[in-house]
């Protein structure tokens, strides 16, 4: 199968590219390298430097490489940036997706996998979160992704076009073979920051809030290994190839860890203290967000291989140590 991966130079996209090549697919990556890193694109992938929202360029790529399916990762992911510059997010996420979907429909490419997010649920009240939970995003990032889900739904109703939207919970870890990992310089994610703190690259890890109604007062999240997440996309492609219907699915393991549990795991696994500093809650952070992944497991027979926090941390730390190492 020939697959176009938008944002293939980014964190999840670069893992996806390896997963596809590993199973024998042909891959074309399109990435504008705004946050992506060229060196993370697998050598065997064809690389096109450009915008996923450039319909003319995408139209040419789809035809030239006889693309059968598109996996769309390209976009912006920093929640506070989406609050300060919402129109940039509606442009880079929603508008780009609109143009890309349009180009697919015009080129007759009818299979589309979309990188969505648990942020579409906002502050979920019932745990674990099922796909039918209310979608009430609380920031422009979540709204820009939800709007894309709506466009997909409408486009699939009107055209010969099918999609799977995957709502990611907390993606973490790195390729077990060490080929790629999270390389964004300004990353704010907990496991990456904790690894940086253990390496002495940041002074201390801020613990955002210790008064949540959770097991130890700190925030609880469902951390999913990036390779298991990439594998869910492979199942989504197979589902669409077999003529499967449009789907929206949660991607998580179904259990959560608190910030303190993550910090303790990082300390133990890497054998170094993680200096911490307790600070007030970060605005907009829910107490706990844990997925109900039942539908993903049942519909795709998806079986995670790395559902183990130690393993997630080990791979994240191995990657972090390699970054900027002399
Ligand atoms: N967190 C923290 N310190 C950090 C980064 C994150 O205490 O430096 C907490 C955050 O409040 C949340 C959890 O760790 O409870 C996961 O946050 P992250 O930013 O990794 O992902 P999010 O769930 O916000 O998408």
């Amino acid at each position: 199968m020939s697959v176009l991966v938008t944002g293939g130079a980014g964190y999840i996209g670069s893992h996806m590219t390896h997963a596809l090549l590993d199973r024998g697919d042909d891959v074309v990556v399109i990435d504008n390298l705004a946050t992506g890193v060229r060196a993370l694109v697998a050598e065997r992938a064809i690389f096109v430097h450009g915008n996923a929202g450039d319909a003319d360029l995408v139209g040419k790529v789809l035809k030239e490489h006889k693309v059968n399916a598109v996996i769309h990762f390209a976009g912006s992911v920093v929640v506070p940036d989406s609050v300060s510059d919402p129109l940039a997010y509606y442009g880079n996420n929603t508008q780009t997706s609109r143009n890309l979907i349009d180009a697919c429909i015009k080129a007759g490419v009818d299979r589309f996998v979309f990188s969505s997010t648990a942020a579409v649920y906002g502050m979920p009240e019932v745990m674990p979160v099922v796909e039918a939970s209310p979608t009430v995003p609380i920031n422009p990032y979540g709204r820009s992704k939800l709007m894309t889900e709506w466009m997909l739904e409408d486009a699939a109703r009107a055209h010969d076009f099918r999609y799977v939207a995957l709502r990611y919970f907390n993606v973490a870890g790195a390729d077990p073979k060490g080929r790629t990992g999270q390389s964004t310089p300004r990353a704010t994610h907990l496991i990456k920051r904790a690894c940086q703190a253990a390496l002495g690259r940041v002074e201390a890890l801020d613990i955002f809030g210790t008064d949540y109604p959770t097991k130890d007062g700190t925030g609880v999240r469902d951390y999913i290994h990036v390779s298991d997440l990439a594998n869910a996309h492979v199942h989504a492609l197979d589902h669409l190839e077999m003529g499967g219907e449009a789907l929206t699915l949660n991607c998580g393991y179904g259990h959560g860890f608190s910030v303190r549990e993550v910090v303790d795991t990082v300390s133990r696994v890497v054998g170094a203290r993680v200096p911490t500093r307790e600070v007030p809650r970060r605005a907009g952070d829910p107490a706990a967000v844990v997925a109900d992944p039942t539908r993903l497991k049942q519909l795709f027979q998806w079986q995670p291989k790395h559902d183990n926090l130690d393993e997630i941390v080990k791979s994240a730390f191995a990657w972090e140590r390699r970054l900027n190492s002399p």
Side-chain angles (χ1 to χ4, degrees):
M1 181 187 320
S2 171
V3 184
L4 172 65
V5 177
T6 76
Y11 172 43
I12 306 173
S14 62
H15 286 82
M16 188 72 239
T17 301
H18 280 293
L20 294 169
L21 292 167
D22 286 349
R23 73 166 199 161
D25 288 333
D26 294 322
V27 180
V28 187
V29 164
I30 184 164
D31 199 302
N32 64 8
L33 300 180
T35 52
V37 179
R38 176 67 182 90
L40 295 185
V41 180
E43 263 177 34
R44 282 185 294 139
I46 293 166
F47 179 73
V48 178
H49 186 193
N51 280 317
D54 179 342
D56 290 340
L57 174 67
V58 172
K60 268 187 224 139
V61 168
L62 295 176
K63 286 215 169 68
E64 193 180 325
H65 299 284
K66 299 188 171 50
V67 168
N68 307 107
V70 171
I71 310 185
H72 178 35
F73 295 101
S76 305
V77 298
V78 183
V79 171
D81 290 356
S82 82
V83 176
S84 57
D85 194 358
L87 298 180
Y89 273 66
Y90 292 123
N92 208 24
N93 291 349
T94 315
Q95 180 68 26
T96 292
S97 300
R98 195 216 76 86
N99 293 353
L100 180 66
I101 297 164
D102 193 31
C104 288
I105 290 167
K106 289 195 171 120
V109 175
D110 62 352
R111 300 176 226 158
F112 195 98
V113 181
F114 175 55
S115 155
S116 191
T117 168
V120 300
Y121 297 115
M123 302 279 236
E125 279 170 15
V126 181
M127 269 329 116
V129 186
V130 294
E131 289 85 353
S133 302
T135 44
V136 276
I138 56 163
N139 50 56
Y141 168 67
R143 287 165 185 253
S144 72
K145 291 283 189 173
L146 183 59
M147 286 162 80
T148 303
E149 286 193 12
W150 289 340
M151 289 192 292
L152 288 167
E153 209 181 310
D154 292 339
R157 235 177 253 137
H159 304 283
D160 182 13
F161 177 81
R162 286 162 309 119
Y163 69 91
V164 175
L166 297 175
R167 292 176 176 164
Y168 312 159
F169 283 64
N170 288 63
V171 190
D175 178 39
K177 293 186 180 151
R179 298 171 293 186
T180 184
Q182 195 177 22
S183 306
T184 336
R186 284 195 310 131
T188 55
H189 291 124
L190 177 65
I191 292 181
K192 188 174 171 78
R193 296 285 297 173
C195 290
Q196 290 173 334
L199 284 165
R201 290 185 185 157
V202 296
E203 204 182 307
L205 173 81
D206 287 336
I207 296 183
F208 296 138
T210 53
D211 57 351
Y212 284 107
T214 57
K215 43 190 158 187
D216 60 18
T218 64
V220 168
R221 296 291 184 274
D222 186 340
Y223 296 92
I224 174 173
H225 193 292
V226 61
S227 299
D228 279 335
L229 182 69
N231 180 255
H233 293 69
V234 169
H235 283 283
L237 284 182
D238 290 346
H239 166 83
L240 293 172
E241 190 181 7
M242 290 183 305
E245 56 174 2
L247 291 173
T248 298
L249 300 171
N250 284 342
C251 290
Y253 290 143
H255 48 79
F257 292 98
S258 71
V259 175
R260 284 198 208 284
E261 285 173 329
V262 169
V263 169
D264 290 347
T265 304
V266 173
S267 284
R268 179 172 45 75
V269 165
V270 312
R273 203 177 73 83
V274 176
T276 57
R277 189 164 50 200
E278 292 183 7
V279 298
R281 293 181 180 193
R282 186 169 64 178
D285 270 358
V289 185
V290 175
D292 181 338
T294 306
R295 271 165 56 80
L296 175 67
K297 287 185 171 168
Q298 282 180 351
L299 293 172
F300 289 174
Q301 278 83 52
W302 175 73
Q303 285 177 342
K305 294 197 181 77
H306 312 279
D307 179 0
N308 177 312
L309 189 60
D310 283 20
E311 200 181 323
I312 291 175
V313 166
K314 234 178 254 171
S315 64
F317 186 75
W319 180 258
E320 200 60 45
R321 195 160 42 185
R322 272 180 49 187
L323 280 180
N324 312 319
S325 63

